[in-house]
Amino acid sequence: MYFGVDYHPEHWVYPYAGTAENPEARWQRDVELMVEAGVNVVRMGEFAWGLYEPEEGKYNFDWMHRAMDLFAKAGIKVVLGTPTAAPPVWLAKKHPEILPKDDRGQTLHEGTRRAYCMNSDVYWEYSKRIVRALAEALGKHPQLIAWQIDNGLGGHNTEASFNDETRRDWHAWLKAKYETIERLNDMMGTRFWAQTVTKFEDVPMPMRAPTVHNPALVLDWMRFCSDTIVAYARMQAELLRELTPTIPVTQNLRALTRHFDHFDMAEVLDFVSIDSNATIKSKSAEMACEIDMLRSLKKAGIKTPDGDSGFWVIEQKAGAVDWQDVNSLVRPGVVRMFTYQLISRGAAGVLYFLWRQPRIGSEKFYGGVLTHDGRGQNRTFQEIKEIGQEIKRLAPVLKDTKVVAEACILLSHDNEWNLECVKQPNKHFRQREHMQMFYNALHDRNIPVDFARPAEDLSKYKVVIAPSLQLMSGGEADLLKLYVQNGGTLIATFNTGLIDEHHIAPDSGIPHDMTDLFGLEVLEFDPLPPGEENHLILKGAFSATHMHPAKYWCDIIEPKGCQVIGTYAKEFYAGRPAITTNQFGNGRAIYIGTMSNQPFYHDLAVWIRQLCGINPLLKVPDTVEVSLRQKGNSKIFFLINHQNSPVRIPFYKPMHDFLSGKTFTGNYDLPPHGVLVLDENVSAG
């Protein structure tokens, strides 16, 4: 298993470190401290373009080669970033047309990172040149084990630019999709407000305007911008594979907060890497949800440096971030706790951002493994060193193990963009909040979860949850029907199937193309303002711990063969169905016509677990997070206490802990932020 740091050797030369006689002297001390901490990999170079190429065509990769040679002597491997996230100032001065324009047509200027338009042919060409030169200079170095493409693509709201070259590519993209202008007008519904066009070149970009743009146009714009970002990454990936065919390619992704299709991006990569912003205030289920989302992006064809089937955490925060209003210290034990949460959910490599707090630039107060003094006597370094020793012991145990889930939550970028970019029946509804409540219920009952696109093969899952897929294509609906027909259990909710992929509302009933699947039709829906609630009356096998509210949205349902599980308690639709189930082929389709509070979803999880025969991983107190990595019959359990106080865990049979080497039976008090890595083999060691 790889355990490392993000290192910037360019920050630690004279006059910031070293001496005038030996400007790079500090590098050797950093290598020594990394070895002491158990580091076996570093990521470098992701912002080094202006140092690699200080003047156009004049390259200097020797300094990085020297750094890699030092790491070679210490047995530490290297991941190199392509430096295209931060173009040099000279490039913007020579070619100001590469600078991105915002939706007001204003130029965003040079002197920082991400100052480029991804539709610029000039920028593509210069990107190819620096990537090619980098790969030719350093690609055969024996320490190199992976490439990282760019850094944080789409960050700082740069997913879209409104340059002339963007307009050109936008029109070409529309022409490829629609083929004729008549089809574009029909599919986009441009006759609304009489915005029809007679040629592709007249289709506007959604720039700042007096009021809202056509939602179908905005949705296509989001798709186009996503395709642009993915194409830019693919260009680099293909070039690197041509020049260094044995070196896998990755990219650092965030928790699906950037506006591009992360599933599409994962297809470009050999393995997925993520950035983790875990801090002391993060809730365990929210962090776990983000990890599981990102882990699920690439489920097959994974090629990591050591052949593992997992993902990497290429930026795990080593301490406090610097972008909150108040950046409190991360408390002792918390970095270790979050590190194990990542490993427990499939991480095959963890690298801490960053090795040392920089003395220069805009991130001086970002928490690092080392503080500004670089002595290695600080608390965080000691904690990372402890983790490093533990990882050495765990690595052989975790080799080739993976997370296996029987439950799945559907995630559609098209749907999320649609919910964000147009008028909605209830602006207080938040898709991620809704999704998170389903996830929390499964997480808190120790049920592993995958995420998937609606068009994926879902046959391996016992239950699939589709929360508020307002935008759904006919093809996606057909695949969900096939899943249920073949014996699956599908749970869908209000705000499902209101429009198709062209943003056209159906005239055949809601949910679009799925009224037969659920055995019902939604006649109307009643959005509720915050603070106003209906209530649910549940019956049958779904037993409620107490009365649950109906919030934000109430579908008024006409049953057409479904079984009613719950009804509304008041308003003119009192007694009408709120929750239903319908037998469809060999499976069942459950529909929940409203949003409730978290306890409702916990009750739902209990019901679904019984209905689908899903067993929780271990029986432990609710405050303890449980995860499982397995290989064949070998099962490795992770127990994590996210609380500031100890939790007593009763062990009903002997369990061996790989971290301490002890075997537990009876009661054990898991300390605050404590971790256990267990199996049932008491002879393991």
Side-chain angles (χ1 to χ4, degrees):
M1 182 172 180
Y2 282 103
F3 180 78
V5 293
D6 299 317
Y7 186 50
H8 300 90
E10 65 270 27
H11 294 175
W12 304 111
V13 295
Y14 185 79
Y16 315 111
T19 65
E21 295 75 24
N22 188 358
E24 299 168 357
R26 174 67 202 189
W27 294 357
Q28 181 59 46
R29 180 58 182 152
D30 283 329
V31 171
E32 292 167 359
L33 288 170
M34 288 181 198
V35 170
E36 184 180 338
V39 165
N40 59 15
V41 66
V42 294
R43 182 197 69 179
M44 300 190 291
E46 73 272 20
F47 294 121
W49 190 344
L51 299 173
Y52 286 151
E53 191 180 9
E55 298 179 54
E56 182 175 358
K58 296 182 179 179
Y59 298 110
N60 177 14
F61 298 105
D62 292 346
W63 63 274
M64 182 59 83
H65 204 291
R66 291 192 296 273
M68 294 174 75
D69 288 345
L70 276 178
F71 286 116
K73 292 177 183 177
I76 295 174
K77 299 296 185 180
V78 173
V79 176
L80 284 179
T82 64
T84 52
V89 173
W90 62 257
L91 179 53
K93 290 299 182 183
K94 181 175 182 179
H95 293 285
E97 68 272 19
I98 72 168
L99 296 171
K101 295 183 183 293
D102 65 17
D103 64 352
R104 295 176 180 265
Q106 301 296 311
T107 298
L108 305 179
H109 292 284
E110 72 279 7
T112 184
R113 62 184 178 181
R114 309 245 66 85
Y116 63 83
C117 164
M118 272 178 278
N119 297 96
S120 167
D121 289 344
V122 169
Y123 196 69
W124 271 55
E125 184 56 37
Y126 276 93
S127 295
K128 288 179 181 178
R129 289 183 198 174
I130 187 62
V131 170
R132 178 176 291 277
L134 174 66
E136 289 175 346
L138 302 176
K140 294 183 179 179
H141 197 289
Q143 294 310 102
L144 182 67
I145 59 169
W147 295 106
Q148 176 189 295
I149 296 172
D150 202 270
N151 187 276
L153 275 166
H156 311 299
N157 300 311
T158 57
E159 299 99 336
S161 63
F162 295 84
N163 299 43
D164 288 341
E165 285 181 288
T166 309
R167 181 180 290 106
R168 173 206 64 193
D169 290 351
W170 165 234
H171 293 149
W173 185 92
L174 290 170
K175 191 169 185 178
K177 177 176 182 177
Y178 292 106
E179 296 183 346
T180 68
I181 199 66
E182 292 78 17
R183 178 169 169 77
L184 179 145
N185 282 314
D186 288 344
M187 293 296 98
M188 280 196 181
T190 57
R191 62 182 56 224
F192 187 84
W193 288 346
Q195 296 299 296
T196 53
V197 290
T198 57
K199 56 182 184 293
F200 284 102
E201 290 73 19
D202 288 346
V203 180
M205 297 186 289
M207 298 181 72
R208 190 63 62 94
T211 186
V212 296
H213 281 279
N214 179 345
L217 180 139
V218 175
L219 182 59
D220 262 355
W221 172 258
M222 302 286 279
R223 291 164 170 155
F224 159 73
C225 292
S226 175
D227 286 353
T228 296
I229 294 174
V230 173
Y232 182 70
R234 182 179 291 109
M235 173 269 289
Q236 293 199 30
E238 290 177 351
L239 183 56
L240 290 168
R241 291 187 183 113
E242 172 195 328
L243 298 169
T244 56
T246 62
I247 306 297
V249 173
T250 191
Q251 187 193 139
N252 57 326
L253 302 174
R254 303 264 173 138
L256 281 65
T257 55
R258 305 273 166 78
H259 286 146
F260 62 84
D261 191 311
H262 287 59
F263 289 101
D264 285 350
M265 184 65 77
E267 292 176 3
V268 171
L269 309 175
D270 293 310
F271 67 103
V272 166
S273 293
I274 72 173
D275 291 358
S276 171
N277 290 329
T279 65
I280 185 64
K281 295 182 180 179
S282 298
K283 296 180 180 178
S284 61
E286 291 175 359
M287 288 305 306
C289 183
E290 291 185 357
I291 298 165
D292 287 346
M293 282 179 176
L294 291 158
R295 184 199 73 238
S296 299
L297 293 175
K298 193 172 186 70
K299 302 181 181 73
I302 299 169
K303 178 187 173 186
T304 57
D306 62 354
D308 201 289
S309 62
F311 64 97
W312 276 32
V313 187
I314 213 156
E315 289 192 18
Q316 159 68 348
K317 298 304 176 275
V321 297
D322 69 347
W323 37 260
Q324 298 183 116
D325 291 340
V326 178
N327 299 293
S328 301
L329 278 177
V330 176
R331 268 43 183 178
V334 171
V335 170
R336 177 176 179 266
M337 176 187 71
F338 281 127
T339 299
Y340 278 108
Q341 186 185 37
L342 290 156
I343 294 171
S344 76
R345 295 181 175 275
V350 177
L351 288 75
Y352 293 99
F353 183 85
L354 65 181
W355 170 242
R356 181 178 172 185
Q357 289 181 296
R359 297 181 60 205
I360 56 175
S362 60
E363 295 181 345
K364 295 182 188 70
F365 303 112
Y366 224 119
V369 176
L370 299 183
T371 48
H372 289 120
D373 60 45
R375 292 194 294 263
Q377 298 171 359
N378 55 302
R379 174 174 60 86
T380 301
F381 178 75
Q382 300 306 319
E383 187 169 341
I384 298 302
K385 187 162 65 170
E386 175 192 349
I387 300 168
Q389 295 307 311
E390 293 174 344
I391 296 300
K392 281 184 181 179
R393 295 198 298 272
L394 274 180
V397 176
L398 297 178
K399 179 67 176 170
D400 296 328
T401 62
K402 60 182 180 179
V403 176
V404 179
E406 294 180 318
C408 180
I409 298 176
L410 297 186
L411 176 68
S412 161
H413 285 87
D414 275 11
N415 183 61
E416 291 211 334
W417 299 334
N418 155 65
L419 291 173
E420 291 174 9
C421 70
V422 299
K423 294 178 179 179
Q424 292 294 327
N426 191 337
K427 70 176 184 179
H428 299 287
F429 168 72
R430 297 288 181 270
Q431 168 75 344
R432 283 293 175 91
E433 178 186 342
H434 187 211
M435 185 182 296
Q436 186 72 49
M437 287 202 285
F438 280 103
Y439 182 88
N440 292 348
L442 298 169
H443 169 274
D444 295 351
R445 297 296 179 266
N446 302 321
I447 298 172
V449 179
D450 276 350
F451 288 81
R453 291 198 265 200
E456 285 186 40
D457 178 9
L458 305 173
S459 59
K460 65 181 177 180
Y461 301 111
K462 289 185 176 180
V463 62
V464 170
I465 300 170
S468 294
L469 293 181
Q470 185 188 92
L471 183 148
M472 183 175 291
S473 70
E476 289 170 340
D478 288 343
L479 288 171
L480 293 183
K481 288 181 185 179
L482 182 63
Y483 165 73
V484 178
Q485 179 83 35
N486 290 335
T489 294
L490 174 68
I491 303 174
T493 74
F494 66 95
N495 203 10
T496 291
L498 269 60
I499 53 174
D500 68 10
E501 68 270 35
H502 301 293
H503 222 283
I504 298 174
D507 58 5
S508 56
I510 296 172
H512 173 51
D513 276 352
M514 293 190 294
T515 55
D516 57 339
L517 174 61
F518 295 103
L520 58 79
E521 184 175 344
V522 175
L523 304 180
E524 300 178 90
F525 46 83
D526 185 21
L528 304 181
E532 186 175 317
E533 295 178 351
N534 206 312
H535 293 283
L536 296 172
I537 299 173
L538 300 169
K539 57 184 180 179
F542 191 149
S543 58
T545 52
H546 52 277
M547 180 171 279
H548 296 301
K551 306 191 299 181
Y552 293 112
W553 191 299
C554 295
D555 277 343
I556 301 171
I557 293 169
E558 178 69 23
K560 294 189 175 181
C562 62
Q563 178 187 351
V564 178
I565 301 297
T567 59
Y568 297 110
K570 61 179 187 177
E571 270 294 346
F572 71 92
Y573 41 90
R576 295 202 69 128
I579 304 172
T580 65
T581 182
N582 188 55
Q583 193 73 27
F584 188 85
N586 295 321
R588 64 179 69 86
I590 297 166
Y591 191 88
I592 303 172
T594 189
M595 185 167 170
S596 193
N597 57 4
Q598 190 61 65
F600 167 82
Y601 296 95
H602 282 120
D603 286 346
L604 177 70
V606 172
W607 181 50
I608 294 301
R609 197 176 70 196
Q610 296 166 347
L611 203 63
C612 300
I614 298 175
N615 297 315
L617 298 178
L618 284 177
K619 186 174 177 59
V620 297
D622 289 345
T623 54
V624 175
E625 180 180 48
V626 180
S627 302
L628 172 66
R629 290 178 61 156
Q630 61 189 86
K631 176 187 177 184
N633 294 325
S634 174
K635 295 183 177 182
I636 310 298
F637 295 93
F638 291 77
L639 277 62
I640 303 174
N641 178 14
H642 288 264
Q643 310 302 310
N644 291 314
S645 55
V647 178
R648 175 157 292 184
I649 301 174
F651 289 106
Y652 301 104
K653 54 185 175 181
M655 299 289 281
H656 167 261
D657 176 32
F658 288 99
L659 297 180
S660 65
K662 297 178 181 178
T663 297
F664 300 116
T665 187
N667 291 330
Y668 173 78
D669 291 328
L670 186 60
H673 306 137
V675 178
L676 295 174
V677 182
L678 305 170
D679 76 351
E680 299 174 12
N681 180 7
V682 296
S683 65

